[in-house]
Amino acid sequence: MPTSTQAVAPYAPRLYQGLAEETNDVSYTPNQTTVREVQWNMANLPSASSLESAATTSWKPLIIVLAAVILVAAVAAVATPFLIAYFKTGTIVQLMQKSFKGQQERAHACTLLQHQQQVQQLLLQHQRRQPLQLQPQPQQLHQRRQQQPQRRPLPLRHLRPQPLRQRQLQQVTANLPAACSSYTTISDSTRRVSYTTFVGCDSSSFSSSGMWVRFTGSGGTTIPTYAPGISVCGTSATGWYASALPSSGATVSGTLCYDWGTTCQWSSSIQVANCNTYYVYLLYPSPVCNLRVCTV
């Protein structure tokens, strides 16, 4: 292994020369301390690779800045035509809208002007065709009034209310069945389908030979045409009409059913007459007790 003196041999002449010049002593020999200093200086000398890396590192920021500038310029070059076209398009659309509105306004004004001219022409034509009418003098008006026939005042009998047409009433009455003028009126609120308190039955309410009945009042005016259910109408088994009703001025025979378990547990035949504004029923006593006719 070479000694420290041999390691610095290539640099010794220069070092000795410098020291000799400073000390003016040619016989100067390096000591141990001077050799170490030279070794330390040799170790701190930069290598070729470090110099290359330092040169490369100094160029990196410039390259990054240059690349960013190029990228921004490219984006601007690409986006600028689109922005110009966008703004131009908006301006063109606004101009077109303004021109269209102006055309509409001008067309509307022209139309109004044409209408006014047509109206003026029609007025002129009408004035030319129709001669001027002079207002009559007061004497002429008086003569005209005298020439007009005087109207006679209406007699008082026309102001009185007209009497009822008895013939029509007689005809209507003649067309109705006889039962419409001969019946018994029953006004019983306990027969209503909503009445739930027990009252009794119809075993003695009607004549055994039949009785024409008209129902009136708050209890109802007609027999229901549906089964109202049990334990209503003031009884247990409820009576309802299970046939078709007659037309105006007609009389038909039908079936009166009593609802108890089934909707027609008991039944009896009755007659119904249509008196235009109301019905009358030919009813008979119920077959058994706790059966009663309902009304609505």
Side-chain angles (χ1 to χ4, degrees):
M1 182 175 179
T3 61
S4 59
T5 305
Q6 294 176 355
V8 296
Y11 301 95
R14 295 180 183 178
L15 183 61
Y16 296 156
Q17 185 179 358
L19 293 174
E21 291 177 358
E22 291 178 0
T23 57
N24 295 320
D25 189 2
V26 180
S27 63
Y28 175 78
T29 58
N31 54 14
Q32 188 68 23
T33 303
T34 305
V35 172
R36 288 180 180 176
E37 290 177 357
V38 172
Q39 289 178 352
W40 182 81
N41 291 331
M42 289 289 293
N44 290 334
L45 288 176
S47 61
S49 60
S50 63
L51 290 174
E52 291 178 359
S53 63
T56 306
T57 305
S58 63
W59 281 99
K60 282 184 179 180
L62 295 175
I63 293 171
I64 293 171
V65 172
L66 184 60
V69 171
I70 293 171
L71 180 61
V72 171
V75 171
V78 173
T80 300
F82 292 100
L83 293 174
I84 293 171
Y86 174 76
F87 288 114
K88 283 185 177 180
T89 304
T91 306
I92 292 170
V93 170
Q94 291 178 358
L95 292 174
M96 290 177 65
Q97 290 179 352
K98 289 181 180 179
S99 62
F100 182 70
K101 288 182 180 178
Q103 291 177 1
Q104 285 185 340
E105 291 177 355
R106 287 193 295 272
H108 184 64
C110 292
T111 305
L112 289 177
L113 183 61
Q114 290 177 0
H115 284 303
Q116 290 178 358
Q117 292 177 356
Q118 291 177 359
V119 170
Q120 290 178 359
Q121 290 177 0
L122 291 173
L123 289 174
L124 290 173
Q125 292 177 2
H126 183 70
Q127 290 176 0
R128 290 173 183 175
R129 291 178 182 177
Q130 186 176 5
L132 294 175
Q133 294 182 358
L134 298 176
Q135 294 183 356
Q137 298 295 328
Q139 295 179 356
Q140 295 177 355
L141 290 174
H142 182 67
Q143 291 177 0
R144 288 181 182 178
R145 289 175 183 174
Q146 289 180 352
Q147 292 176 0
Q148 291 179 356
Q150 295 182 358
R151 295 181 180 179
R152 296 179 181 179
L154 294 174
L156 295 177
R157 61 184 179 85
H158 292 285
L159 300 177
R160 296 175 183 175
Q162 295 182 358
L164 296 176
R165 298 180 181 179
Q166 297 180 357
R167 292 182 181 179
Q168 293 181 355
L169 292 175
Q170 290 176 358
Q171 290 178 358
V172 171
T173 306
N175 293 331
L176 293 178
C180 294
S181 57
S182 177
Y183 53 80
T184 301
T185 302
I186 294 179
S187 178
D188 188 357
S189 60
T190 63
R191 291 183 179 274
R192 195 168 187 85
V193 294
S194 59
Y195 192 82
T196 57
T197 304
F198 181 79
V199 175
C201 62
D202 284 338
S203 59
S204 60
S205 300
F206 311 114
S207 174
S208 59
S209 60
M211 184 172 65
W212 285 100
V213 177
R214 177 186 176 185
F215 295 101
T216 60
S218 60
T221 58
T222 58
I223 298 175
T225 56
Y226 58 90
I230 63 174
S231 300
V232 292
C233 308
T235 188
S236 299
T238 55
W240 60 284
Y241 185 66
S243 301
L245 292 171
S247 58
S248 179
T251 303
V252 296
S253 297
T255 302
L256 182 67
C257 288
Y258 293 93
D259 184 9
W260 181 258
T262 60
T263 56
C264 199
Q265 183 71 27
W266 296 276
S267 63
S268 61
S269 296
I270 64 170
Q271 291 185 7
V272 183
N274 188 336
C275 302
N276 289 333
T277 57
Y278 58 92
Y279 293 98
V280 292
Y281 303 89
L282 182 60
L283 301 177
Y284 299 91
S286 58
V288 294
C289 199
N290 295 343
L291 277 65
R292 199 172 190 221
V293 177
C294 294
T295 55
V296 290

